[in-house]
Amino acid sequence: MTLLASIALVAAISVTEEITFKGATDLNLSGEMMTPRGDGPFPCVLLLPGSGPTDRDGNQPPAIKTDLLKQIAESLATNGIATFRFDKRPAHKNASQWPKTTDMAVFSEYFSFENHVADVEAAYKAMVAHAKSDDKRCGLLGHSEGGLFVSWVAARLNPKAIVLAGTAGQTMEGVLRYQIGRSLSQPGVPEALRKEIGDSNEATMKAIIATGKLPEKVHPNLAGLYNPAALKLLHSYLTIDPIVPLAKYAGPALVMNGEKDVQVRADVDATRLYEALKSRKETSQELFIVPGASHNLKEGGDGFVGPVAPAALDRLSSWLARNLR
């Protein structure tokens, strides 16, 4: 099917509606409800993006455009499943509402893990309350960072089913150590620089975990990663193991990871999540490693652009259809 034909199909069988709601700190948040045509009610899934200023579609304009969540929403609509996805608080669309200050401590509090979680809970409740949502058949899907939020709120919100896509199965200490180590292992990086950056990363993580603060010196190459405006959020990432709250959720769960994901490892993180879910009693869980897919579930190890792997969309649609009955 050509791109134009695909767009025409989605438009023909789905309806979109802008939804606004209040998040934590009285923040005005907005997103798109996409429902199949008809009166409903329909099974519905809240889609949560990855880290950074990622918007409702899974993009960070203007540099990064994956359309991951948009493509998932369109695919699910063609299979009779509604979705809601919103621009989270760090998305640039919300910049006019950010604190009017240069105090990084204020920003750190504003972008805290707790505020992100409260926003997710408010978004889920807004979705469930929609006239076309079947409140007994609602689920959560989190990609990357979004999966951490899903693991944290699942037991509290008790959705019918959850999906963790490209989600870390450990604290971010291990994930960052792997990501930075992999980057430094590339050809052309001098051994002395590898050690310098590696040592600084270890010292920075240790300081944040122990004190919630940055050390006096952070290597310049790590400055973008360890942003003082997100320090409280970083502390949560480095100390929260997602499998601990996840084990309290009793519903069906799908763990999905790209085979060639270079940010979150399919053989480590996805496996750890799946094993934690298996340890629950009388529950249902499934692990699907998307052949040849990237962190963004695109075909190709470092893939950002292009269509989501058909295998990922097919498995997601079929699994949700079974588990949101």
Side-chain angles (χ1 to χ4, degrees):
M1 182 181 294
T2 66
L3 177 59
L4 287 177
S6 178
I7 293 171
L9 174 62
V10 171
I13 67 172
S14 66
V15 178
T16 60
E17 179 184 351
E18 191 75 4
I19 302 293
T20 60
F21 63 97
K22 288 282 188 182
T25 65
D26 213 30
L27 176 65
N28 293 310
L29 292 167
S30 62
E32 181 178 286
M33 187 85 176
M34 180 179 288
T35 62
R37 288 194 178 273
D39 295 331
F42 303 102
C44 196
V45 182
L46 177 64
L47 308 180
L48 301 174
S51 61
T54 311
D55 66 17
R56 67 181 70 179
D57 292 334
N59 303 331
Q60 294 184 20
I64 300 174
K65 184 176 182 179
T66 71
D67 274 344
L68 172 60
L69 298 189
K70 182 180 180 182
Q71 290 184 42
I72 289 175
E74 292 170 346
S75 175
L76 293 180
T78 64
N79 287 278
I81 299 172
T83 55
F84 182 50
R85 60 193 201 277
F86 70 99
D87 298 308
K88 62 178 186 173
R89 67 177 48 224
H92 289 303
K93 181 178 180 180
N94 297 317
S96 64
Q97 299 184 76
W98 294 350
K100 305 299 189 290
T101 180
T102 58
D103 187 343
M104 291 298 102
V106 173
F107 277 100
S108 180
E109 183 64 40
Y110 184 80
F111 293 118
S112 69
F113 182 83
E114 292 79 8
N115 283 344
H116 276 83
V117 166
D119 292 344
V120 168
E121 292 178 331
Y124 184 79
K125 291 171 183 176
M127 177 187 76
V128 170
H130 192 274
K132 289 190 177 182
S133 287
D134 184 338
D135 61 3
K136 294 181 175 58
R137 295 190 296 161
C138 288
L140 288 164
L141 182 154
H143 175 247
S144 197
E145 175 195 68
L148 176 58
F149 298 146
V150 169
S151 72
W152 192 257
V153 304
R156 296 211 297 258
L157 295 177
N158 196 31
K160 182 74 173 178
I162 64 171
V163 179
L164 305 172
T167 299
Q170 56 188 309
T171 69
M172 289 303 292
E173 182 179 8
V175 174
L176 291 177
R177 185 177 291 122
Y178 165 73
Q179 291 179 353
I180 291 171
R182 183 180 181 279
S183 178
L184 293 176
S185 68
Q186 300 301 310
V189 180
E191 181 59 35
L193 182 60
R194 291 177 187 172
K195 185 176 187 313
E196 189 178 307
I197 295 175
D199 289 349
S200 178
N201 181 57
E202 292 298 323
T204 302
M205 290 194 297
K206 183 177 179 180
I208 294 173
I209 292 170
T211 68
K213 299 178 181 180
L214 292 171
E216 289 186 9
K217 292 183 179 180
V218 177
H219 195 280
N221 289 47
L222 299 173
L225 174 61
Y226 294 111
N227 185 346
L231 194 53
K232 191 170 182 180
L233 181 62
L234 284 167
H235 180 265
S236 296
Y237 286 166
L238 292 167
T239 54
I240 292 176
D241 188 333
I243 70 169
V244 175
L246 186 61
K248 300 175 183 177
Y249 172 65
L254 171 64
V255 178
M256 180 181 290
N257 217 105
E259 178 190 22
K260 295 186 177 180
D261 190 337
V262 296
Q263 297 185 50
V264 174
R265 289 175 287 178
D267 60 340
V268 175
D269 295 282
T271 300
R272 193 168 187 260
L273 289 171
Y274 178 62
E275 291 300 324
L277 289 162
K278 279 178 62 179
S279 70
R280 305 174 302 162
K281 295 181 180 179
E282 300 178 1
T283 57
S284 169
Q285 50 280 320
E286 187 172 316
L287 173 64
F288 181 53
I289 306 303
V290 187
S294 70
H295 182 62
N296 292 291
L297 305 180
K298 306 297 181 75
E299 293 177 319
D302 292 317
F304 284 88
V305 299
V308 174
L313 295 177
D314 290 346
R315 179 63 64 93
L316 183 59
S317 294
S318 62
W319 188 89
L320 286 170
R322 292 195 311 272
N323 288 282
L324 292 180
R325 289 183 298 185

